[in-house]
Amino acid sequence: MTDVLIIGSGGAGLSAALAVKEQGASVIIASKSTPTTAQTSMAQGGMNAVLGNVEEDHISMHIADTIKSAHGICDENMVRKMCADGPLAIAWLERLGVPFSRLDNGKSGTGSIAQRKLGGASAKRACYAQDYTGLKILHTLYDNCLKEGIEFLDDHFLLNLVTEDGTIKGATFLDIRSGEVVQIDAKSVVIATGGFGALYHGYTTNAFGTTGDGIAAVLRAGGSVSDMEFVQFHPTGLKHSAILVSEAARGEGGYLVNSDGERFVDELSPRDVVARAIFAQLEQEKEVFLDVRHLGKEKLMELLPQEVALCRLHEQIDPLEALIPIKPVAHYTMGGIDVDDALEVNGIKGCFAVGECASAKIHGANRLGGNSLLEIVAFGRFAGSNATKHAMFARTTPANDTQLLKDKDYIAHIFTQEHSVNFYPIRQRLGVLLYHKVGIVRQNAKLQEALSEVIAMQVAHARMGIVDHAKAHNQNLVEFLEFSNALLLTPTLISAAFSRDESRGAHFKIEFASEDNERFKKHIVLKWKP
Amino acid sequence: MTIQILRSQINDYQTYTLADEEMTLLKALIKIKATQDATLTFTAGCRASVCGTCAVRVNGREVLSCAHKVRDGDMIEPLNYHPVLRDLKVDKQPAQKTLLNATAWLHRYQEAVLTHKDERFTERQTDCILCDACYSACPVFAVNPDFLGPFALTRAYRYSADKQESEVKSIVERVQHNGVWECTLCSGCTLVCPKGIDPKMDITMLRSLVVQHGYEDRTFAQMGFGTPDFGSEFGFDSNGEF
Ligand SMILES: Cc1cc2nc3c(=O)[nH]c(=O)nc-3n(C[C@H](O)[C@H](O)[C@H](O)COP(=O)(O)OP(=O)(O)OC[C@H]3O[C@@H](n4cnc5c(N)ncnc54)[C@H](O)[C@@H]3O)c2cc1C
Ligand code: SF4
Ligand code: SF4
Ligand code: FES
């Protein structure tokens, strides 16, 4: 039996695995794809850590910025821990070989790491590796996992957690390669499966497959979720592909204009304000564009080379000469698996959750840019080391096969299930529904409509099945399971949004446009009743 | 427009018809799966050329599905030299094992003064997304499956050039066997890399590093037949391994 089973190979999973290994325990990383395909590869802007390399900065300032952005609902101890860990996390990455961008200051070690200012920060604090920060961190972590001989199980899709008397015993997976359901026994488990932004299918910067599978598994195992209503929208996603156009575009002087050629918002306002202003235009049937033509070719190619290429490819336009059609899109999910201050899942001993899948109470109502890369590294290591400690004293008797048999039956059942309703268009419809009714601007009546529609989808789910009946490499089955998880999670998102009769951070409700500290300065925690 | 996709089950091309609009190949594949044929199997993630999941061959050339504009008549096939798992999905494990064999990581860290220029020196190499396009384009794999291959050598080079690496010698030792000398410098890898990386150049750089470390220069030895025989008077070993 392995000491620690890690589910997910993004930045959080790999950091946790390396921490486990450092402490001499055994570890396996299982993920539904291959190691470096995780969404962490998409992060561009940077990772926050107080180094003060470019200008004066203090951990207390980082803490204050994070709390401000969270709009009061965060656990200040957790925030303090994460911010204080920032410089240590960077020093650790530096020793692993992450190729950070550098300053010319003649200093050695982390002293030469370049830092830039991201929105909401009071200093230049984000360490970066050109505009490939996540990619380069992820790949360097992967190189180090290979160096340490860490075992990877690719193509393993998490189905359920295996628990006994409220303690974790392992997890069951669909081995996508063989089509078999397998159980992996472990003394501790770390869930690092990423967020649920892909519920907003077609309206999110997130990768396909960011469907909150780990969060759904925790709900099924009796754990809880919190802060589900807080979804951060990025103001500028490309209109057709929803691919992110970096904030730098506005930071450097890009304009936002509507189809009448009018500017309608101060482009430098906070993300949620700009996103709402754009959404209001779209609701009035106007189109919105980003205009960067006046910045000139040289500056554009220097600042936004990735974006220029992506516009040409996905929007069929050249931003040097034409307006870029955009829409605000779901970008980051603040909520997720409810964990305690050791990142242990509330209600399941020995099971930890970290990264975007977890609600560690640091982002609260809105995440500060650059804090999630910090979270996945700093807390990834913290989770790994706590999981190791738990493994030292855990009982080694493996679980019985009740869950395994149940899951085998379930998968077998899907193959026989009616499939008169194609779930792919419904997945798309769910995206549209969430975007318009559970998105940037909310209203109780609309939330209620959304919930009824989702319930109707859940009812139709019994007729959705799969068309592809191959046993091995059945991607149709995988996508069906992902969509099923999405349908399980959506009601928690809607209910939490419905309960919160106020506006706070990323959650904006028309009829309650201000913060109501008396009633709502708290987390909404939900459980699933089957 | 119509495109043809190599299906593993029938071991033949299947024709699909698409609306005549501009779109990426990935978008086309997703459309086909959602509306025409749910059994079509491929892999994808970010749709923004950064997760490295979606490389295939179109008309014999490696591309990222998410970065290729699909055209009438396109012939789509899985990557070369990778076991095909199903349709366009391939097994990347054997190819990625080359990273392990090349020990493509930082062996022992030493603190160093780094500048913007140092960062730029291997910036391109660290843009690698492990899409395996270069591996699929490398002709050496047709004859030598144990070759370390372009992306592993690029990565090994990137670490060898890092001032923070205090054990460059360990890397130098590893890249010589089934490594830098087996490469034919054909540029196949460089031509297809979606990130503009030049593994061939990196291999050339590694070769000189190897020689600097006092190992034999096997540049001519590996060229095989068809090249002038420099003979033993030049001191080269003409029994190259290729
Ligand atoms: C376009 C973009 C730009 C961003 N830029 C920044 C930035 O500049 N700074 C910043 O701090 N943050 C940024 N973020 C946010 C940040 O990248 C993510 O929050 C973070 O990388 C999440 O890491 P993770 O390890 O928690 O999850 P992920 O990287 O999403 O990894 C999840 C892992 O879990 C696996 N998995 C999921 N489901 C299952 C299952 N059922 N079974 C098995 N395995 C499963 C996946 O395969 C994957 O390996 C950005 C996000 C996006 C989308
Ligand atoms: S240059 Fe070398 S590594 Fe690249 S494709 Fe040719 S033989 Fe392979
Ligand atoms: S070097 Fe280029 S082609 Fe090869 S794996 Fe890396 S990104 Fe892909
Ligand atoms: S889908 Fe990620 S590189 Fe193409």
Side-chain angles (χ1 to χ4, degrees):
Chain A
M1 189 191 288
T2 186
D3 291 321
V4 183
L5 166 65
I6 292 176
I7 308 168
S9 66
L14 300 190
S15 299
L18 287 166
V20 174
K21 201 74 187 182
E22 268 169 38
Q23 300 186 6
S26 60
V27 58
I28 294 176
I29 304 176
S31 78
K32 67 178 169 185
S33 179
T34 44
T36 50
T37 58
Q39 176 171 273
T40 298
S41 63
M42 299 177 80
Q44 305 177 339
M47 165 167 163
N48 291 338
V50 173
L51 303 176
N53 284 354
V54 182
E55 61 186 22
E56 191 176 331
D57 197 6
H58 298 282
I59 291 185
S60 57
M61 287 160 64
H62 187 186
I63 295 171
D65 292 343
T66 303
I67 294 174
K68 183 167 172 223
S69 180
H71 287 262
I73 47 168
C74 54
D75 178 334
E76 294 191 9
N77 285 327
M78 293 300 271
V79 172
R80 230 171 268 139
K81 174 168 172 47
M82 181 183 76
C83 297
D85 274 355
L88 305 174
I90 292 288
W92 181 68
L93 292 177
E94 168 92 350
R95 294 185 77 88
L96 297 185
V98 173
F100 286 112
S101 290
R102 300 287 165 173
L103 301 163
D104 283 320
N105 63 3
K107 291 196 178 150
S108 68
T110 56
S112 66
I113 294 177
Q115 296 187 285
R116 62 181 162 212
K117 194 162 174 158
L118 297 182
S122 54
K124 291 187 175 167
R125 185 178 297 139
C127 305
Y128 57 95
Q130 307 89 41
D131 54 352
Y132 283 122
T133 315
L135 175 81
K136 296 189 180 184
I137 290 177
L138 183 68
H139 281 247
T140 310
L141 290 171
Y142 177 57
D143 294 343
N144 279 275
C145 289
L146 293 179
K147 181 179 177 184
E148 299 302 331
I150 289 173
E151 184 185 347
F152 284 94
L153 291 175
D154 297 352
D155 279 324
H156 273 58
F157 185 96
L158 167 69
L159 295 172
N160 281 298
L161 300 171
V162 178
T163 59
E164 241 172 50
D165 306 326
T167 303
I168 198 80
K169 293 301 235 174
T172 58
F173 295 85
L174 171 73
D175 176 351
I176 302 169
R177 293 184 171 219
S178 65
E180 297 293 339
V181 176
V182 297
Q183 175 168 325
I184 301 176
D185 299 320
K187 296 181 204 164
S188 311
V189 168
V190 177
I191 305 173
T193 47
F196 57 92
L199 266 54
Y200 292 81
H201 190 90
Y203 297 88
T204 177
T205 59
N206 286 199
F208 302 119
T210 315
T211 40
D213 301 338
I215 310 174
V218 164
L219 279 177
R220 286 191 295 265
S224 359
V225 294
S226 54
D227 291 349
M228 294 295 283
E229 68 275 36
F230 296 118
V231 178
Q232 183 178 81
F233 281 79
H234 198 287
T236 54
L238 292 179
K239 183 178 172 196
H240 300 102
S241 57
I243 290 173
L244 176 79
V245 178
S246 148
E247 222 147 41
R250 281 171 294 127
E252 296 294 333
Y255 303 138
L256 289 169
V257 293
N258 63 18
S259 19
D260 302 332
E262 294 160 353
R263 286 175 70 183
F264 53 88
V265 65
D266 173 4
E267 286 83 359
L268 299 177
S269 316
R271 267 187 199 178
D272 50 334
V273 175
V274 180
R276 276 200 294 279
I278 299 174
F279 189 71
Q281 296 288 322
L282 296 178
E283 293 284 275
Q284 294 166 34
E285 311 281 311
K286 288 189 178 148
E287 280 189 276
V288 178
F289 303 91
L290 183 65
D291 187 355
V292 292
R293 293 171 300 182
H294 56 285
L295 299 183
K297 183 171 175 187
E298 205 172 313
K299 198 160 180 191
L300 276 175
M301 292 314 285
E302 154 92 32
L303 284 170
L304 306 163
Q306 280 196 68
E307 276 86 351
V308 171
L310 290 168
C311 283
R312 287 176 180 156
L313 190 65
H314 294 271
E315 310 295 315
Q316 339 298 350
I317 61 117
D318 187 345
L320 306 179
E321 283 153 20
L323 297 171
I324 309 170
I326 53 120
K327 66 184 178 196
V329 285
H331 185 51
Y332 185 87
T333 50
M334 272 71 79
I337 303 166
D338 196 53
V339 293
D340 68 10
D341 57 6
L343 305 176
E344 195 168 20
V345 177
N346 282 324
I348 311 175
K349 270 201 226 67
C351 182
F352 300 79
V354 68
E356 196 167 336
C357 68
S359 168
K361 323 283 184 334
I362 38 188
H363 307 302
N366 216 344
R367 172 193 69 120
L368 197 62
N371 265 1
S372 33
L373 286 179
L374 170 59
E375 177 189 13
I376 61 178
V377 176
F379 281 4
R381 285 172 56 70
F382 186 48
S385 113
N386 293 347
T388 310
K389 278 183 208 137
H390 178 270
M392 284 191 330
F393 303 105
R395 293 182 53 194
T396 52
T397 43
N400 59 35
D401 53 6
T402 318
Q403 186 67 48
L404 178 67
L405 295 175
K406 225 169 113 183
D407 291 342
K408 279 186 188 233
D409 279 354
Y410 176 61
I411 296 295
H413 167 74
I414 295 176
F415 278 86
T416 60
Q417 193 170 322
E418 181 188 334
H419 52 80
S420 54
V421 180
N422 182 356
F423 73 86
Y424 288 112
I426 312 243
R427 176 174 78 174
Q428 210 160 339
R429 218 169 76 205
L430 179 67
V432 176
L433 177 74
L434 291 182
Y435 186 66
H436 289 286
K437 296 187 176 167
V438 198
I440 300 161
V441 174
R442 294 160 180 187
Q443 209 175 337
N444 279 341
K446 292 251 170 88
L447 290 170
Q448 245 160 350
E449 283 169 27
L451 190 59
S452 334
E453 279 196 54
V454 171
I455 290 169
M457 287 178 188
Q458 285 179 333
V459 172
H461 183 252
R463 286 178 287 125
M464 282 181 204
I466 51 176
V467 175
D468 185 0
H469 282 172
K471 191 157 187 228
H473 304 291
N474 189 332
Q475 200 58 29
N476 188 211
L477 170 62
V478 169
E479 283 157 14
F480 178 75
L481 292 169
E482 289 175 342
F483 181 62
S484 309
N485 284 332
L487 279 188
L488 177 71
L489 285 187
T490 306
T492 65
L493 161 63
I494 302 177
S495 317
F498 187 75
S499 314
R500 188 171 286 283
D501 275 338
E502 64 158 355
S503 292
R504 186 184 293 271
H507 170 78
F508 181 84
K509 201 179 265 184
I510 296 181
E511 59 268 55
F512 303 95
S514 53
E515 281 182 19
D516 180 349
N517 281 335
E518 208 164 304
R519 289 168 66 209
F520 290 110
K521 199 175 171 191
K522 61 174 190 197
H523 302 279
I524 295 174
V525 183
L526 298 168
K527 258 182 191 272
W528 182 55
K529 283 193 227 92
Chain B
M1 73 178 118
T2 60
I3 60 172
Q4 303 206 52
I5 302 178
L6 187 60
R7 302 298 307 271
S8 54
Q9 231 146 343
I10 52 172
N11 195 23
D12 202 354
Y13 296 88
Q14 189 163 339
T15 307
Y16 294 97
T17 307
L18 295 159
D20 281 319
E21 54 184 89
E22 273 195 62
M23 62 180 140
T24 62
L25 172 59
L26 179 57
K27 203 166 170 193
L29 295 174
I30 291 171
K31 272 203 170 150
I32 292 171
K33 193 168 180 75
T35 60
Q36 298 181 33
D37 182 355
T39 67
L40 178 67
T41 304
F42 55 91
T43 50
C46 67
R47 78 204 176 280
S49 308
V50 75
C51 75
T53 324
C54 70
V56 295
R57 284 183 307 138
V58 177
N59 306 326
R61 189 180 192 278
E62 286 73 11
V63 298
L64 295 178
S65 314
C66 67
H68 170 75
K69 270 192 193 168
V70 68
R71 274 182 301 250
D72 187 38
D74 275 352
M75 303 270 280
I76 326 286
E77 298 165 335
L79 292 180
N80 270 332
Y81 312 126
H82 287 71
V84 174
L85 296 175
R86 192 175 174 197
D87 299 341
L88 302 175
K89 180 182 177 188
V90 296
D91 189 354
K92 285 188 159 186
Q93 279 168 0
Q96 300 226 341
K97 224 171 159 198
T98 58
L99 293 170
L100 207 61
N101 295 339
T103 65
W105 48 69
L106 192 69
H107 285 242
R108 201 159 55 127
Y109 171 84
Q110 67 184 3
E111 192 165 315
V113 176
L114 292 178
T115 62
H116 186 56
K117 200 163 146 231
D118 295 319
E119 168 204 341
R120 296 303 293 263
F121 193 62
T122 49
E123 180 188 323
R124 257 299 145 80
Q125 287 82 348
T126 57
D127 286 350
C128 174
I129 59 173
L130 291 181
C131 67
D132 287 21
C134 53
Y135 191 101
S136 169
C138 173
V140 175
F141 289 107
V143 289
N144 180 3
D146 297 323
F147 180 42
L148 288 178
F151 66 74
L153 288 169
T154 279
R155 200 166 281 221
Y157 169 64
R158 159 257 187 281
Y159 283 112
S160 77
D162 195 328
K163 287 183 176 165
Q164 299 182 120
E165 175 61 90
S166 66
E167 271 179 16
V168 176
K169 207 164 160 50
S170 310
I171 299 176
V172 166
E173 275 162 15
R174 288 308 278 259
V175 298
Q176 296 187 60
H177 313 291
N178 284 315
V180 291
W181 305 115
E182 275 69 18
C183 165
T184 63
L185 304 182
C186 72
S187 289
C189 48
T190 306
L191 286 170
V192 300
C193 176
K195 290 293 173 189
I197 297 165
D198 187 352
K200 176 191 147 190
M201 178 55 84
D202 298 337
I203 292 168
T204 315
M205 300 294 279
L206 272 176
R207 282 185 176 186
S208 30
L209 189 70
V210 164
V211 174
Q212 273 167 37
H213 274 75
Y215 293 94
E216 179 188 8
D217 186 337
R218 283 154 57 197
T219 307
F220 298 101
Q222 59 81 38
M223 290 179 103
F225 18 82
T227 47
D229 183 11
F230 288 93
S232 48
E233 72 231 60
F234 284 89
F236 294 114
D237 170 14
S238 52
N239 299 315
E241 289 185 321
F242 184 72

